[in-house]
């Protein structure tokens, strides 16, 4: 990557024309060929940029430009269009080049896979006596995040490719035998619809039925909560920090 801090003006031509008057800015030239023009504000968003594939040509100023204090002229041309970015540099304060190497990418914390693992280990958050059957429980339309056995229900043995054990009697009183849990970071109506499809399929299986649905998420949209309640699906808010043991909800003042 090359970083240049310089007083410069920028002219863009292409889908529209745009002009940035002369001011001190940061110019970034990345290894992928992209060129970005930043000011000291506007968060991460550049004032103007050219995405790869593009080419950068650096030219010395004409005599007239040199008389006006121009030191270099950058012309950035897009490979697949007529778009062009012309950066006219005046006073260059810093010019640094550094090989950053291969970036390992962003490692996200608190994604659905992490929530699934934690809830599988703390399945009693669904209620006392609940026992995990398995994660990624297979169905014909995709895996359910968690399949959990409700208190008092007979054990279910699942052998991939060979079905399950013989049917057992349903729990007395019509109580739910199993719980299907769909886990999201933020649950929307789409998550309710997804879990509804799973429940319709799972409740056809005499080894599993009756199956209760639980939508577990760090946040649940009001519309999703309303629809879930209407369909008999329970909602469970997940406190990621508390589940990791780095926050004790009982010790909070508020």
């Amino acid at each position: 990557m090359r970083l240049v801090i310089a007083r410069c003006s920028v002219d863009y031509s292409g889908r529209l024309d745009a002009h940035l008057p002369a001011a001190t800015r940061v110019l970034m030239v990345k290894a992928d060929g992209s060129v970005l023009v930043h000011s000291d504000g506007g968060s991460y968003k550049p004032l103007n940029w050219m995405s790869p594939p593009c080419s950068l040509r650096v030219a010395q100023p004409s005599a007239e430009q040199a008389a006006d204090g121009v030191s270099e002229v950058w012309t950035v041309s897009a490979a697949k269009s007529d778009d062009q970015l012309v950066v006219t540099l005046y006073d260059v304060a810093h010019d640094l080049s550094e090989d950053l190497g291969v970036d390992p990418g962003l490692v996200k914390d608190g994604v659905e896979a992490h929530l699934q693992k934690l809830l599988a280990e703390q399945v009693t958050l669904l209620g006392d006596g609940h026992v995990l059957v398995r994660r990624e429980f297979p169905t014909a339309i995709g895996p359910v995040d968690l399949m959990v056995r409700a208190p008092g229900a007979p054990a279910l043995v699942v052998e991939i490719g060979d079905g399950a054990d013989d049917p057992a009697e349903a729990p007395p009183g019509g109580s739910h035998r199993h719980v299907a849990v769909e886990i999201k970071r933020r649950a929307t109506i789409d998550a309710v619809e997804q879990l509804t499809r799973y429940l319709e399929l799972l409740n056809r299986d005499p080894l599993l039925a009756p199956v209760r649905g639980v939508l577990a998420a760090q946040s649940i949209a009001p519309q999703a909560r309303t629809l879930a309640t209407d369909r008999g699906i329970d909602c469970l808010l997940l406190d990621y920090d508390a589940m990791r043991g780095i926050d004790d909800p009982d010790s909070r003042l508020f």
Side-chain angles (χ1 to χ4, degrees):
M1 178 182 289
R2 182 183 178 190
L3 290 176
V4 178
I5 300 177
R7 183 170 173 269
C8 63
S9 62
V10 182
D11 291 280
Y12 173 81
S13 61
R15 290 161 293 180
L16 53 82
D17 293 338
H19 174 68
L20 291 172
T24 302
R25 300 184 177 94
V26 176
L27 307 174
M28 300 177 63
V29 183
K30 295 188 177 181
D32 63 4
S34 56
V35 178
L36 302 92
V37 181
H38 283 274
S39 64
D40 195 10
S43 186
Y44 64 90
K45 188 175 182 180
L47 297 170
N48 217 325
W49 68 94
M50 187 72 77
S51 300
C54 59
S55 60
L56 170 61
R57 179 172 57 87
V58 179
Q60 295 302 310
S62 64
E64 184 178 352
Q65 290 174 319
D68 292 334
V70 176
S71 59
E72 281 185 351
V73 178
W74 294 5
T75 302
V76 188
S77 303
K80 298 182 179 180
S81 68
D82 295 330
D83 292 12
Q84 193 174 77
L85 195 69
V86 178
V87 183
T88 304
L89 284 74
Y90 296 89
D91 302 318
V92 177
H94 297 283
D95 190 341
L96 171 67
S97 294
E98 185 72 28
D99 183 1
L100 302 184
V102 178
D103 190 273
L106 180 66
V107 179
K108 295 182 179 179
D109 190 21
V111 296
E112 290 173 13
H114 297 157
L115 294 171
Q116 183 191 113
K117 181 177 183 296
L118 287 169
L119 187 54
E121 296 168 350
Q122 303 171 45
V123 73
T124 52
L125 289 174
L126 299 169
D128 293 338
H130 286 72
V131 178
L132 178 70
V133 174
R134 69 170 287 175
R135 295 168 58 184
E136 299 291 334
F137 187 87
T139 77
I141 58 174
V144 178
D145 287 331
L146 298 181
M147 178 60 70
V148 177
R149 189 170 75 246
L156 175 67
V157 178
V158 178
E159 297 180 4
I160 303 302
D162 294 326
D165 59 344
D166 294 332
E169 293 295 325
S175 60
H176 291 94
R177 176 184 288 176
H178 292 93
V179 181
V181 185
E182 183 63 28
I183 300 172
K184 302 290 184 185
R185 292 188 66 194
R186 183 178 188 276
T188 62
I189 286 178
D190 287 343
V192 180
E193 296 289 359
Q194 181 181 1
L195 182 53
T196 299
R197 292 192 295 270
Y198 287 141
L199 291 171
E200 289 176 352
L201 188 64
L202 293 168
N203 275 302
R204 298 176 193 170
D205 189 339
L207 296 174
L208 298 172
V211 183
R212 175 171 66 101
V214 172
L215 182 61
Q218 289 180 279
S219 65
I220 301 174
Q223 301 90 335
R225 185 181 291 275
T226 299
L227 183 60
T229 301
D230 182 68
R231 295 185 177 178
I233 294 172
D234 295 329
C235 294
L236 174 66
L237 282 177
L238 301 177
D239 188 328
Y240 181 60
D241 288 339
M243 293 173 73
R244 289 191 296 165
I246 63 173
D247 180 31
D248 181 8
D250 296 331
S251 65
R252 299 175 186 165
L253 293 177
F254 303 99

